[in-house]
């Protein structure tokens, strides 16, 4: 009897959770700023285009900033908060420390929209829109971003250390990490396609190029000159060796050729359940781009703060 009551309570609790999530998502709108700050989106787009034009790598950095924000407590801008003497943010977490970039671009955008519409546009929304505009700037697909998120006043170093998938994960670990955030294995593969742009540090792929057999020999050799067996941890190599500054499906072609840079990359094409999806994306750019855009919409809707939750930060690096 107790077990039955417990099960009923769990079902009710889960139902309430789904309703609350639905309510939060329903409060987001693609036209959220159309009256309160009509030039917000064009301002963000212009700033992103300028930043990516100056340094193409910034596009990947802004996209990654979005991912690392949303996978910890949801898309709430918590990744932007600096540490203080009384507050520990997420920037020093293992996946973020000496790795995440683009904070200065977000600061610039925030300053510009604050001049236009003080206290209206959230840092969380800026991160989500900047990610979309970065992909477009590098030749990738566009998608409609839902808006109206508010900014978190808290952060979680521990969740940043545990929720963000590590480059050392095997396929099962990747599937679990994304499933924990509500993504299917197919969506996980599509989102992994973000590695068609950007670079990785030697420390994150050294073990693969020196120890693994599931890597094309000449590809591994070409990487060793820039990533010796010891030292030079921060030397960079492109995640997509074919077209590292174009948002296309070359990443998946690389995987089929055993030229995935990270261990977690090549796991998507390693004789496992996602091989067929990688093959599909490697032969159909349009399928990948469509699936990626749809998955990004879903990611942008992870646990947003809406209504009276959180705040609209004046400075993205600190609470009001």
């Amino acid at each position: 009897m107790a077990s039955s009551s417990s099960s009923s309570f769990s079902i009710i609790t889960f139902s309430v959770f789904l309703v609350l999530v639905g309510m939060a998502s329903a409060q987001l709108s693609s036209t959220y700023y159309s009256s309160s700050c009509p030039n917000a989106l064009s301002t963000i787009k212009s700033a992103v285009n300028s930043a990516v034009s100056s340094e193409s790598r910034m596009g990947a950095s802004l996209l990654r900033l979005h991912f690392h924000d949303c996978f910890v407590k949801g898309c709430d801008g918590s990744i932007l908060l600096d540490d203080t003497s009384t507050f520990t943010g997420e920037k020093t977490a293992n996946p973020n420390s000496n790795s995440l970039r683009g904070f200065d671009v977000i600061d610039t955008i925030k300053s510009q929209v604050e001049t236009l519409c003080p206290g209206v546009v959230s840092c969380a929304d800026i991160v989500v829109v900047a990610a979309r505009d970065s992909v477009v700037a590098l030749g990738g697909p566009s998608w409609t971003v839902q808006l109206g998120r508010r900014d978190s006043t808290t952060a979680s170093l521990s969740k940043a250390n545990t929720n963000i998938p590590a480059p050392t994960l095997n396929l099962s670990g990747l599937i679990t990490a994304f499933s924990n955030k509500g993504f299917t294995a197919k969506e996980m593969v599509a989102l992994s396609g973000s590695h068609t742009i950007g670079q990785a540090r030697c420390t994150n792929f050294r073990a693969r190029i020196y120890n693994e057999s599931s890597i094309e020999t000449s590809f591994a050799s070409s990487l060793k000159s820039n990533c010796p067996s010891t030292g030079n941890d921060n030397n960079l190599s492109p995640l997509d060796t074919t077209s590292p500054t174009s948002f296309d499906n070359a990443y998946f072609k690389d995987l089929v050729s055993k030229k995935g840079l990270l261990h977690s990359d090549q796991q998507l094409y390693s004789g496992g359940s996602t091989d067929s999806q990688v093959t599909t994306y490697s032969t159909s750019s349009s399928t990948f781009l469509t699936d990626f855009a749809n998955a990004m919409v879903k990611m942008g809707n992870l646990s947003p703060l809406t209504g009276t939750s959180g705040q609209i930060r004046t400075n993205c690096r600190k609470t009001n």
Side-chain angles (χ1 to χ4, degrees), residues 225-257:
S225 61
N226 191 45
C227 183
S229 56
T230 58
N232 295 321
D233 285 358
N234 292 322
N235 282 3
L236 300 169
S237 287
L239 289 157
D240 167 4
T241 187
T242 307
S243 51
T245 59
S246 296
F247 200 96
D248 52 27
N249 69 333
Y251 165 80
F252 296 103
K253 295 179 180 179
D254 290 342
L255 297 186
V256 172
S257 301

mmCIF file of all heavy atoms in Angstrom, residues 225-257:
data_model
loop_
_atom_site.group_PDB
_atom_site.id
_atom_site.type_symbol
_atom_site.label_atom_id
_atom_site.label_comp_id
_atom_site.label_asym_id
_atom_site.label_seq_id
_atom_site.Cartn_x
_atom_site.Cartn_y
_atom_site.Cartn_z
ATOM 1 N N SER A 225 53.061 16.970 -34.064
ATOM 2 C CA SER A 225 54.047 18.049 -34.099
ATOM 3 C C SER A 225 53.581 19.262 -33.308
ATOM 4 O O SER A 225 54.396 20.015 -32.756
ATOM 5 C CB SER A 225 54.312 18.465 -35.550
ATOM 6 O OG SER A 225 53.120 18.939 -36.153
ATOM 7 N N ASN A 226 52.265 19.446 -33.245
ATOM 8 C CA ASN A 226 51.690 20.573 -32.509
ATOM 9 C C ASN A 226 51.270 20.171 -31.103
ATOM 10 O O ASN A 226 50.971 21.028 -30.274
ATOM 11 C CB ASN A 226 50.475 21.132 -33.268
ATOM 12 C CG ASN A 226 49.990 22.451 -32.709
ATOM 13 O OD1 ASN A 226 50.777 23.342 -32.417
ATOM 14 N ND2 ASN A 226 48.683 22.578 -32.548
ATOM 15 N N CYS A 227 51.247 18.871 -30.856
ATOM 16 C CA CYS A 227 50.823 18.369 -29.545
ATOM 17 C C CYS A 227 51.763 17.246 -29.120
ATOM 18 O O CYS A 227 51.461 16.061 -29.285
ATOM 19 C CB CYS A 227 49.382 17.859 -29.624
ATOM 20 S SG CYS A 227 48.694 17.292 -28.037
ATOM 21 N N PRO A 228 52.922 17.608 -28.565
ATOM 22 C CA PRO A 228 53.895 16.594 -28.143
ATOM 23 C C PRO A 228 53.358 15.761 -26.987
ATOM 24 O O PRO A 228 52.358 16.120 -26.365
ATOM 25 C CB PRO A 228 55.104 17.432 -27.722
ATOM 26 C CG PRO A 228 54.544 18.767 -27.369
ATOM 27 C CD PRO A 228 53.382 18.978 -28.289
ATOM 28 N N SER A 229 54.025 14.672 -26.702
ATOM 29 C CA SER A 229 53.528 13.761 -25.659
ATOM 30 C C SER A 229 53.533 14.396 -24.278
ATOM 31 O O SER A 229 52.805 13.968 -23.387
ATOM 32 C CB SER A 229 54.364 12.477 -25.649
ATOM 33 O OG SER A 229 55.746 12.781 -25.479
ATOM 34 N N THR A 230 54.362 15.410 -24.097
ATOM 35 C CA THR A 230 54.347 16.183 -22.847
ATOM 36 C C THR A 230 54.537 17.663 -23.184
ATOM 37 O O THR A 230 55.241 18.011 -24.126
ATOM 38 C CB THR A 230 55.471 15.757 -21.887
ATOM 39 O OG1 THR A 230 56.739 15.914 -22.542
ATOM 40 C CG2 THR A 230 55.304 14.310 -21.439
ATOM 41 N N GLY A 231 53.895 18.512 -22.392
ATOM 42 C CA GLY A 231 54.036 19.956 -22.581
ATOM 43 C C GLY A 231 53.132 20.525 -23.663
ATOM 44 O O GLY A 231 52.423 19.789 -24.364
ATOM 45 N N ASN A 232 53.155 21.842 -23.782
ATOM 46 C CA ASN A 232 52.347 22.552 -24.781
ATOM 47 C C ASN A 232 50.862 22.204 -24.687
ATOM 48 O O ASN A 232 50.182 22.054 -25.714
ATOM 49 C CB ASN A 232 52.857 22.271 -26.188
ATOM 50 C CG ASN A 232 54.253 22.817 -26.414
ATOM 51 O OD1 ASN A 232 54.585 23.910 -25.956
ATOM 52 N ND2 ASN A 232 55.088 22.056 -27.107
ATOM 53 N N ASP A 233 50.361 22.080 -23.473
ATOM 54 C CA ASP A 233 48.967 21.677 -23.255
ATOM 55 C C ASP A 233 47.957 22.577 -23.947
ATOM 56 O O ASP A 233 46.877 22.126 -24.342
ATOM 57 C CB ASP A 233 48.647 21.657 -21.754
ATOM 58 C CG ASP A 233 49.255 20.471 -21.035
ATOM 59 O OD1 ASP A 233 49.901 19.646 -21.713
ATOM 60 O OD2 ASP A 233 49.083 20.355 -19.809
ATOM 61 N N ASN A 234 48.282 23.852 -24.081
ATOM 62 C CA ASN A 234 47.307 24.791 -24.620
ATOM 63 C C ASN A 234 47.410 25.012 -26.125
ATOM 64 O O ASN A 234 46.687 25.836 -26.680
ATOM 65 C CB ASN A 234 47.419 26.140 -23.893
ATOM 66 C CG ASN A 234 46.978 26.039 -22.439
ATOM 67 O OD1 ASN A 234 46.026 25.338 -22.127
ATOM 68 N ND2 ASN A 234 47.679 26.735 -21.559
ATOM 69 N N ASN A 235 48.298 24.289 -26.785
ATOM 70 C CA ASN A 235 48.359 24.379 -28.252
ATOM 71 C C ASN A 235 47.034 23.912 -28.849
ATOM 72 O O ASN A 235 46.434 22.943 -28.376
ATOM 73 C CB ASN A 235 49.498 23.521 -28.796
ATOM 74 C CG ASN A 235 50.847 24.189 -28.615
ATOM 75 O OD1 ASN A 235 50.953 25.262 -28.031
ATOM 76 N ND2 ASN A 235 51.902 23.539 -29.115
ATOM 77 N N LEU A 236 46.590 24.597 -29.886
ATOM 78 C CA LEU A 236 45.265 24.345 -30.453
ATOM 79 C C LEU A 236 45.315 23.617 -31.786
ATOM 80 O O LEU A 236 46.237 23.812 -32.583
ATOM 81 C CB LEU A 236 44.529 25.676 -30.644
ATOM 82 C CG LEU A 236 44.282 26.515 -29.391
ATOM 83 C CD1 LEU A 236 43.784 27.907 -29.777
ATOM 84 C CD2 LEU A 236 43.288 25.825 -28.468
ATOM 85 N N SER A 237 44.287 22.798 -32.020
ATOM 86 C CA SER A 237 44.077 22.173 -33.322
ATOM 87 C C SER A 237 42.586 22.235 -33.629
ATOM 88 O O SER A 237 41.752 22.159 -32.720
ATOM 89 C CB SER A 237 44.529 20.713 -33.323
ATOM 90 O OG SER A 237 45.941 20.626 -33.316
ATOM 91 N N PRO A 238 42.223 22.381 -34.912
ATOM 92 C CA PRO A 238 40.799 22.481 -35.268
ATOM 93 C C PRO A 238 40.045 21.175 -35.038
ATOM 94 O O PRO A 238 40.573 20.093 -35.298
ATOM 95 C CB PRO A 238 40.832 22.852 -36.752
ATOM 96 C CG PRO A 238 42.161 22.370 -37.238
ATOM 97 C CD PRO A 238 43.102 22.531 -36.078
ATOM 98 N N LEU A 239 38.831 21.290 -34.548
ATOM 99 C CA LEU A 239 37.988 20.120 -34.332
ATOM 100 C C LEU A 239 37.570 19.495 -35.660
ATOM 101 O O LEU A 239 37.348 18.291 -35.756
ATOM 102 C CB LEU A 239 36.743 20.523 -33.527
ATOM 103 C CG LEU A 239 37.001 20.864 -32.054
ATOM 104 C CD1 LEU A 239 35.904 21.760 -31.508
ATOM 105 C CD2 LEU A 239 37.127 19.599 -31.221
ATOM 106 N N ASP A 240 37.451 20.324 -36.671
ATOM 107 C CA ASP A 240 37.122 19.871 -38.019
ATOM 108 C C ASP A 240 38.309 20.219 -38.902
ATOM 109 O O ASP A 240 38.552 21.384 -39.207
ATOM 110 C CB ASP A 240 35.842 20.579 -38.486
ATOM 111 C CG ASP A 240 35.581 20.413 -39.980
ATOM 112 O OD1 ASP A 240 36.339 19.691 -40.655
ATOM 113 O OD2 ASP A 240 34.610 21.022 -40.463
ATOM 114 N N THR A 241 39.063 19.226 -39.277
ATOM 115 C CA THR A 241 40.306 19.464 -40.015
ATOM 116 C C THR A 241 40.080 19.916 -41.456
ATOM 117 O O THR A 241 40.962 20.478 -42.089
ATOM 118 C CB THR A 241 41.171 18.185 -40.017
ATOM 119 O OG1 THR A 241 42.436 18.474 -40.596
ATOM 120 C CG2 THR A 241 40.514 17.068 -40.814
ATOM 121 N N THR A 242 38.877 19.704 -41.981
ATOM 122 C CA THR A 242 38.585 20.004 -43.386
ATOM 123 C C THR A 242 38.226 21.468 -43.629
ATOM 124 O O THR A 242 38.798 22.124 -44.505
ATOM 125 C CB THR A 242 37.427 19.119 -43.894
ATOM 126 O OG1 THR A 242 37.733 17.752 -43.630
ATOM 127 C CG2 THR A 242 37.188 19.324 -45.377
ATOM 128 N N SER A 243 37.256 21.973 -42.861
ATOM 129 C CA SER A 243 36.786 23.359 -43.052
ATOM 130 C C SER A 243 36.452 23.949 -41.685
ATOM 131 O O SER A 243 35.287 24.105 -41.335
ATOM 132 C CB SER A 243 35.558 23.394 -43.966
ATOM 133 O OG SER A 243 34.579 22.464 -43.511
ATOM 134 N N PRO A 244 37.486 24.257 -40.886
ATOM 135 C CA PRO A 244 37.306 24.627 -39.480
ATOM 136 C C PRO A 244 36.569 25.932 -39.204
ATOM 137 O O PRO A 244 36.149 26.160 -38.072
ATOM 138 C CB PRO A 244 38.741 24.701 -38.953
ATOM 139 C CG PRO A 244 39.592 24.949 -40.151
ATOM 140 C CD PRO A 244 38.907 24.234 -41.267
ATOM 141 N N THR A 245 36.391 26.766 -40.231
ATOM 142 C CA THR A 245 35.684 28.024 -39.991
ATOM 143 C C THR A 245 34.376 28.111 -40.784
ATOM 144 O O THR A 245 33.796 29.185 -40.918
ATOM 145 C CB THR A 245 36.570 29.240 -40.350
ATOM 146 O OG1 THR A 245 36.951 29.168 -41.724
ATOM 147 C CG2 THR A 245 37.819 29.270 -39.472
ATOM 148 N N SER A 246 33.915 26.976 -41.287
ATOM 149 C CA SER A 246 32.639 26.926 -42.000
ATOM 150 C C SER A 246 31.696 25.969 -41.281
ATOM 151 O O SER A 246 32.084 24.834 -40.965
ATOM 152 C CB SER A 246 32.830 26.447 -43.436
ATOM 153 O OG SER A 246 33.612 27.367 -44.170
ATOM 154 N N PHE A 247 30.473 26.418 -41.042
ATOM 155 C CA PHE A 247 29.511 25.550 -40.365
ATOM 156 C C PHE A 247 28.856 24.659 -41.418
ATOM 157 O O PHE A 247 27.912 25.052 -42.099
ATOM 158 C CB PHE A 247 28.461 26.371 -39.613
ATOM 159 C CG PHE A 247 27.775 25.565 -38.549
ATOM 160 C CD1 PHE A 247 28.203 25.617 -37.238
ATOM 161 C CD2 PHE A 247 26.723 24.716 -38.874
ATOM 162 C CE1 PHE A 247 27.595 24.839 -36.251
ATOM 163 C CE2 PHE A 247 26.106 23.935 -37.900
ATOM 164 C CZ PHE A 247 26.550 24.000 -36.587
ATOM 165 N N ASP A 248 29.396 23.437 -41.536
ATOM 166 C CA ASP A 248 28.920 22.496 -42.541
ATOM 167 C C ASP A 248 28.935 21.080 -41.966
ATOM 168 O O ASP A 248 29.044 20.909 -40.758
ATOM 169 C CB ASP A 248 29.794 22.585 -43.802
ATOM 170 C CG ASP A 248 31.291 22.448 -43.485
ATOM 171 O OD1 ASP A 248 31.638 21.802 -42.460
ATOM 172 O OD2 ASP A 248 32.118 22.971 -44.261
ATOM 173 N N ASN A 249 28.840 20.090 -42.817
ATOM 174 C CA ASN A 249 28.797 18.704 -42.339
ATOM 175 C C ASN A 249 30.145 17.992 -42.448
ATOM 176 O O ASN A 249 30.230 16.764 -42.327
ATOM 177 C CB ASN A 249 27.737 17.905 -43.105
ATOM 178 C CG ASN A 249 28.116 17.681 -44.563
ATOM 179 O OD1 ASN A 249 28.857 18.474 -45.148
ATOM 180 N ND2 ASN A 249 27.602 16.606 -45.151
ATOM 181 N N ALA A 250 31.227 18.751 -42.647
ATOM 182 C CA ALA A 250 32.553 18.137 -42.812
ATOM 183 C C ALA A 250 32.994 17.375 -41.564
ATOM 184 O O ALA A 250 33.741 16.399 -41.655
ATOM 185 C CB ALA A 250 33.585 19.200 -43.171
ATOM 186 N N TYR A 251 32.538 17.819 -40.396
ATOM 187 C CA TYR A 251 32.860 17.126 -39.135
ATOM 188 C C TYR A 251 32.478 15.653 -39.209
ATOM 189 O O TYR A 251 33.237 14.775 -38.787
ATOM 190 C CB TYR A 251 32.130 17.822 -37.989
ATOM 191 C CG TYR A 251 32.058 17.057 -36.691
ATOM 192 C CD1 TYR A 251 33.133 17.023 -35.805
ATOM 193 C CD2 TYR A 251 30.887 16.392 -36.321
ATOM 194 C CE1 TYR A 251 33.044 16.347 -34.591
ATOM 195 C CE2 TYR A 251 30.794 15.719 -35.117
ATOM 196 C CZ TYR A 251 31.875 15.693 -34.248
ATOM 197 O OH TYR A 251 31.795 15.028 -33.055
ATOM 198 N N PHE A 252 31.321 15.388 -39.779
ATOM 199 C CA PHE A 252 30.848 14.002 -39.856
ATOM 200 C C PHE A 252 31.624 13.211 -40.911
ATOM 201 O O PHE A 252 31.858 12.008 -40.744
ATOM 202 C CB PHE A 252 29.344 13.984 -40.139
ATOM 203 C CG PHE A 252 28.531 14.596 -39.028
ATOM 204 C CD1 PHE A 252 28.013 15.868 -39.156
ATOM 205 C CD2 PHE A 252 28.328 13.914 -37.836
ATOM 206 C CE1 PHE A 252 27.285 16.445 -38.124
ATOM 207 C CE2 PHE A 252 27.615 14.481 -36.795
ATOM 208 C CZ PHE A 252 27.093 15.760 -36.935
ATOM 209 N N LYS A 253 32.032 13.879 -41.963
ATOM 210 C CA LYS A 253 32.892 13.219 -42.952
ATOM 211 C C LYS A 253 34.230 12.854 -42.316
ATOM 212 O O LYS A 253 34.789 11.786 -42.591
ATOM 213 C CB LYS A 253 33.107 14.136 -44.156
ATOM 214 C CG LYS A 253 31.841 14.433 -44.948
ATOM 215 C CD LYS A 253 32.124 15.374 -46.114
ATOM 216 C CE LYS A 253 30.857 15.681 -46.901
ATOM 217 N NZ LYS A 253 31.104 16.605 -48.018
ATOM 218 N N ASP A 254 34.723 13.732 -41.457
ATOM 219 C CA ASP A 254 35.963 13.445 -40.733
ATOM 220 C C ASP A 254 35.812 12.197 -39.866
ATOM 221 O O ASP A 254 36.714 11.359 -39.801
ATOM 222 C CB ASP A 254 36.346 14.635 -39.839
ATOM 223 C CG ASP A 254 36.815 15.847 -40.639
ATOM 224 O OD1 ASP A 254 37.174 15.680 -41.813
ATOM 225 O OD2 ASP A 254 36.815 16.955 -40.071
ATOM 226 N N LEU A 255 34.665 12.084 -39.192
ATOM 227 C CA LEU A 255 34.455 10.930 -38.311
ATOM 228 C C LEU A 255 34.458 9.626 -39.098
ATOM 229 O O LEU A 255 35.037 8.622 -38.660
ATOM 230 C CB LEU A 255 33.131 11.077 -37.553
ATOM 231 C CG LEU A 255 32.991 12.259 -36.593
ATOM 232 C CD1 LEU A 255 31.678 12.158 -35.818
ATOM 233 C CD2 LEU A 255 34.168 12.320 -35.619
ATOM 234 N N VAL A 256 33.813 9.644 -40.261
ATOM 235 C CA VAL A 256 33.776 8.440 -41.104
ATOM 236 C C VAL A 256 35.187 8.054 -41.539
ATOM 237 O O VAL A 256 35.503 6.868 -41.702
ATOM 238 C CB VAL A 256 32.862 8.671 -42.324
ATOM 239 C CG1 VAL A 256 32.968 7.505 -43.306
ATOM 240 C CG2 VAL A 256 31.411 8.855 -41.870
ATOM 241 N N SER A 257 36.061 9.061 -41.680
ATOM 242 C CA SER A 257 37.452 8.817 -42.080
ATOM 243 C C SER A 257 38.373 8.594 -40.879
ATOM 244 O O SER A 257 39.602 8.568 -41.025
ATOM 245 C CB SER A 257 37.974 10.006 -42.890
ATOM 246 O OG SER A 257 37.199 10.218 -44.044
#
